[in-house]
Every structure is written in structure tokens, then in C-alpha cells.
Amino acid sequence: ATRPDWWGIGDKYGARAYITILTIRALEDFSYLSLSIGKKEGLARYLEKAKKMQAALSEKLWDEESQFLINELTAGKMDKHYYAGSLMAAAYDVVDHEKSLQLLRTAKNEMLDKHVGVRNAWPADFHLLNDIYDFKPGEVGKPYFYFNGGVWSQNNAWYALGLIEAGLHDQARDFVSQYMTLEGIKNSPNGQPSFYEYRFTDPNSPKYGAIDKPTFLWAGGWYAHVLYRLAGARTNAWNFYFDAKLPTDFDELIYDVNIGGLRCRVSYQGVGNYFKKIIVDGKQVHSAVMIDKTKKVQLHRGRPDFPYLATANVIVQNVQFDQKTKRMKIEYKAVAGSERELRIVSPFELKMASLNNKDVGQIDVQSRGKKIFIYDYKVKSWSTTNLFELQF
């Protein structure tokens, strides 16, 4: 890209973390959309490109010294500024778990104004760097204004989403409460309770924390999105699903969300990081991934009674579990020739797994306490329509 991070100014061409992250997700989104309307040809190369970009993101833009994803200023010359766009790597889960945690720690230490929120970029010295970035004189603004070190609403949202994706739900709840709620904003310096575009961050100014554009719908949308994520409603490029892990004080929840174009009433009960049982439209199901149009979902947390599909980056069509035979069948569509992932949570130990009647061999397993098993299935599907079977 020619701009630093997602900005609309500057003209230096180099590799950018933010646009790379968005392109990885866009390739997944495009592949899902194409497959869902019956377009199959050539999709594997898009997913392979996304996979290579994901690897290159860490290999080329991860900076060990700063423990952060940095941008290339121009070919071979790196930009040592911290940019909020890199937080999307944690929010979209495109770097490994340890890098996500390190990225979030660095953002907290280097970019977080403890009274206002996450700065857009740091340090706020871009007004001195017109020639380096090809800014027009005065275009970038003074320190702590707008691009140049201001706090933007989406920066806070990306940081909170990264915490949720990393499993730090309580930290995310506390962050949202302090920096994103109207009450939290009101209690901050010059805190006008509103959903805003950005805030001025000079701590030595009487205008410290002042809000610009206090009726910013985009900011309200990000806030609502983060609240749904905190409350367990999750999406990837391929599916809508529910997460059992919530902040510790979110024991009982009731909210509405659209699933398959229908308004669905969702309720959570119980405690724990797994689902004890999942009831969809009055029937027990074995998938936290939603498959059909749904009006009512009841989620009971605790030790699982039966296996269930927790997440998948394929188009899930059907999930069945036979209690007598302890056999689970998952039907799904995938891009032929692409490596895909499914996660199954089970109180039973797996004996055998097959894909399209062929043994899939070793499956990564994480054994939790009290005989809760998490099976991560990664394999190439050479057919668009697939049947994955597990015998417990």
C-alpha cells in the first residue's frame, strides 16, 4: 500500500500489516461466498495465497525487538512506528497465540493512553516526517491530533476483539467498560458520553480527551459488535457459532441476534468453558456452529454430556451423533484441495476418525481436566462435499 497503515494520506509504497491482514480475510470471505453459490473453480489458489500471506506476515513484518507487527516503509526499509491496524492480527487470529499475546502486551505498554484508550499510532511525531512519508505540509496535523497519536474508536474495538480472541475475556470486559461504554467515556478527561470518531490525547492540554464527531455511527457499530463477541456470538469467514467461554460475571445472558435472516433469541445458563448441551428450536443438537435458520438457541455451560462441533472453517451442512454407537457424522462443503480445520469437544476419547471413508490418521488432541477432550482436525479435502466420521 502507499499509505501508512489505513490512513488516507502519504505516498510511500511498501508492505503493510493492516492491508495484508484484511486481504487474508477477504480471500477467505471470497472463497466462502463463491462456494456457497456453487462457484468452485480456482478457489484453492486463493486459499493457498491467503495461507502464504499469513506465513509471510509473521516472517517479514514481525519485529522481535518491539514484539509487534510493523510496516515496511519502502522496499527493505522498515517503519518503527506502532500502528493500531496491526491489532487486527489478534482480532482475526492470523498470527499464532503467543504472538497475539505479545502484540496485545506491546499495544498496552506503548499505545494505550490509560485515561482515553488506544492511540492510532505512536510516537506522535509524524508532523516532523513530511518528506519521509510524502505528506503535504500540515496534512498530518499537530501531535495528538487525528492520525498523529489520537485515539480512534475502532482502535479500542480491535484491541478488545484481540483480547477476546486470545481468551482474555475478563480483561476485554474491563477494557470495554472503561474505554468504550458511554459511562466509561463520561468518566474520562473531557468525557462527552458519545460514540465518536477520535479523541485528542495531549495530557498537558486543557482539551485532553476532547471528542471529535460525537455522533459517529461506525463507532456505535464497533461497540455493538464487541458486545456480541463478549456475549459468545462469534463468526469467522465460514460460519456463525457460539463460544462457551465468557467473562466470569456473564453467567446468565439473554439477547437477540439474526441467524440465517431470522431473529433468534439466545440464552446462556451455567458456568464453564464448554457446553453441557445445546438446544436449537427445542431439539438437542451437537454443534455450536449454526447450520439452519434458527429462532431459539439455549446454551447450557458445564461439562459436556456428548461430543459437539465447536468451530469449523468449512460450510457445515449437518452434524449428527448416535448415543448408542457413539458415532458422530459431520457433513460439510469445502474448497477442494484446501486444508481446513474443525474442532470437536468431547467427554469421550476418540477411537477412530475418517474422511470420506478413509482413515485420517493422527488428530491433534488437547486433553483437559475431568476427561474433556478437544480434537483439532486439519486435513486437505479433495472433494467439495465431505463426510467426516468420528468413533468414540
Side-chain angles (χ1 to χ4, degrees):
T2 57
R3 316 297 190 193
D5 215 40
W6 56 276
W7 303 6
I9 58 176
D11 191 17
K12 291 291 184 180
Y13 188 75
R16 304 285 192 263
Y18 176 73
I19 202 70
T20 302
I21 295 160
L22 289 185
T23 303
I24 291 167
R25 178 58 184 260
L27 289 168
E28 290 273 345
D29 284 336
F30 178 77
S31 298
Y32 159 75
L33 181 60
S34 297
L35 189 63
S36 68
I37 61 174
K39 304 292 185 181
K40 306 174 186 178
E41 299 302 319
L43 298 181
R45 65 190 173 107
Y46 293 119
L47 293 178
E48 183 62 25
K49 176 68 73 175
K51 184 178 179 181
K52 289 180 178 179
M53 292 181 74
Q54 189 168 341
L57 183 70
S58 292
E59 291 169 5
K60 298 182 178 181
L61 298 184
W62 181 260
D63 182 57
E64 282 295 332
E65 182 181 357
S66 65
Q67 296 288 284
F68 205 72
L69 283 171
I70 63 174
N71 290 333
E72 186 183 63
L73 182 61
T74 56
K77 185 176 181 180
M78 304 309 292
D79 185 343
K80 290 294 186 175
H81 286 85
Y82 300 97
Y83 292 100
S86 295
L87 294 172
M88 291 298 288
Y92 276 169
D93 193 27
V94 295
V95 292
D96 64 49
H97 182 67
E98 186 55 38
K99 279 189 171 62
S100 286
L101 293 177
Q102 292 168 346
L103 185 79
L104 293 164
R105 288 190 204 107
T106 298
K108 181 178 180 180
N109 293 334
E110 302 292 339
M111 303 183 72
L112 177 63
D113 179 308
K114 294 184 179 180
H115 298 289
V116 182
V118 177
R119 299 181 183 94
N120 176 62
W122 194 255
D125 61 355
F126 292 93
H127 59 295
L128 304 174
L129 306 174
N130 286 352
D131 292 342
I132 292 176
Y133 292 91
D134 278 356
F135 298 139
K136 294 179 175 60
E139 186 176 40
V140 76
K142 296 178 181 179
Y144 310 106
F145 279 93
Y146 214 58
F147 292 124
N148 198 6
V151 167
W152 292 64
S153 59
Q154 73 270 16
N155 304 347
N156 291 330
W158 296 340
Y159 182 77
L161 292 171
L163 291 173
I164 296 168
E165 192 66 39
L168 304 174
H169 292 69
D170 286 356
Q171 291 185 37
R173 174 206 57 210
D174 294 344
F175 179 87
V176 170
S177 179
Q178 181 173 355
Y179 298 108
M180 297 183 69
T181 63
L182 296 181
E183 183 70 16
I185 294 168
K186 184 182 73 173
N187 293 331
S188 65
N190 282 295
Q192 181 180 353
S194 62
F195 295 119
Y196 57 86
E197 184 182 30
Y198 96 100
R199 301 185 71 177
F200 179 57
T201 62
D202 184 354
N204 298 314
S205 169
K207 293 184 178 180
Y208 175 47
I211 281 169
D212 186 54
K213 301 184 185 73
T215 53
F216 215 60
L217 185 60
W218 191 34
W222 276 116
Y223 175 64
H225 180 64
V226 172
L227 289 187
Y228 274 112
R229 287 289 190 93
L230 268 181
R234 305 291 295 276
T235 62
N236 57 25
W238 298 83
N239 293 293
F240 183 100
Y241 63 100
F242 291 102
D243 189 3
K245 190 170 183 179
L246 303 172
T248 52
D249 54 351
F250 282 33
D251 295 342
E252 294 189 10
L253 299 176
I254 298 176
Y255 59 88
D256 289 341
V257 64
N258 276 14
I259 299 178
L262 292 180
R263 177 172 291 185
C264 176
R265 173 59 54 94
V266 177
S267 63
Y268 272 80
Q269 293 181 345
V271 296
N273 293 331
Y274 309 100
F275 290 122
K276 178 179 175 64
K277 60 182 177 180
I278 303 168
I279 309 296
V280 174
D281 292 336
K283 297 180 180 180
Q284 182 166 341
V285 301
H286 299 278
S287 177
V289 178
M290 297 294 101
I291 299 170
D292 300 314
K293 293 181 178 181
T294 303
K295 292 183 178 180
K296 187 176 183 180
V297 175
Q298 298 165 280
L299 301 160
H300 300 262
R301 296 195 296 160
R303 186 181 183 278
D305 288 338
F306 304 104
Y308 67 88
L309 177 65
T311 63
N313 60 358
V314 296
I315 299 177
V316 181
Q317 296 177 300
N318 191 27
V319 179
Q320 298 291 334
F321 177 73
D322 189 308
Q323 298 181 25
K324 292 182 180 180
T325 63
K326 290 187 178 179
R327 193 172 189 86
M328 189 175 197
K329 295 182 179 181
I330 303 172
E331 298 175 36
Y332 68 87
K333 290 174 67 176
V335 174
S338 66
E339 185 178 73
R340 301 283 87 188
E341 303 175 11
L342 295 89
R343 170 169 286 190
I344 295 93
V345 176
S346 173
F348 312 128
E349 192 165 2
L350 183 65
K351 295 180 179 178
M352 182 276 295
S354 67
L355 175 66
N356 300 329
N357 298 315
K358 293 182 180 180
D359 189 356
V360 300
Q362 184 67 35
I363 294 180
D364 293 336
V365 58
Q366 303 175 48
S367 180
R368 304 297 186 187
K370 298 181 181 179
K371 282 196 171 182
I372 298 175
F373 301 93
I374 301 175
Y375 294 99
D376 287 324
Y377 154 65
K378 298 181 181 180
V379 73
K380 275 193 174 182
S381 300
W382 293 103
S383 173
T384 301
T385 302
N386 299 273
L387 175 62
F388 183 47
E389 297 181 271
L390 304 101
Q391 179 66 62
F392 297 96

